[in-house]
Amino acid sequence: NDTLTHKMNNALKEVEFQKVKLGNLARGLESIGLSASSAMEQYTAQEECIKSDLASLSVLIKELQQEKASYVENLNKVTTNNADLIQEVASLQAENNELIE
């Protein structure tokens, strides 16, 4: 009878010990879950920032491409004007030379 009581007490102690271990395990798992949740929130926030930055960069690239096209167009106009002026100067020099002769 005492042996049975002793075994029952030991079994109850073991059950209490296992409950404590399960409680600790549950808290550990909860902590891991919270950490994972927090990390996911941070990842999502960073992802949104990156998407926003990419959208801004895309707009900036388009603006720069338009500006480049405008510069190229203006450069072509200046080059054409210079060629016209060079021809006009050559023509005036020829005319001047004829007048001198």
Side-chain angles (χ1 to χ4, degrees), residues 56-75:
S56 297
L57 284 173
S58 179
V59 168
L60 182 60
I61 287 169
K62 286 177 185 167
E63 289 172 357
L64 288 172
Q65 287 171 334
Q66 290 172 346
E67 197 173 326
K68 178 185 171 188
S70 176
Y71 282 136
V72 168
E73 185 181 336
N74 288 337
L75 180 62

Side-chain angles (χ1 to χ4, degrees), residues 15 17 25 39 41 58 61 64 78 98:
V15 167
F17 177 70
L25 181 60
E41 287 173 10
S58 179
I61 287 169
L64 288 172
V78 168
E98 286 176 15

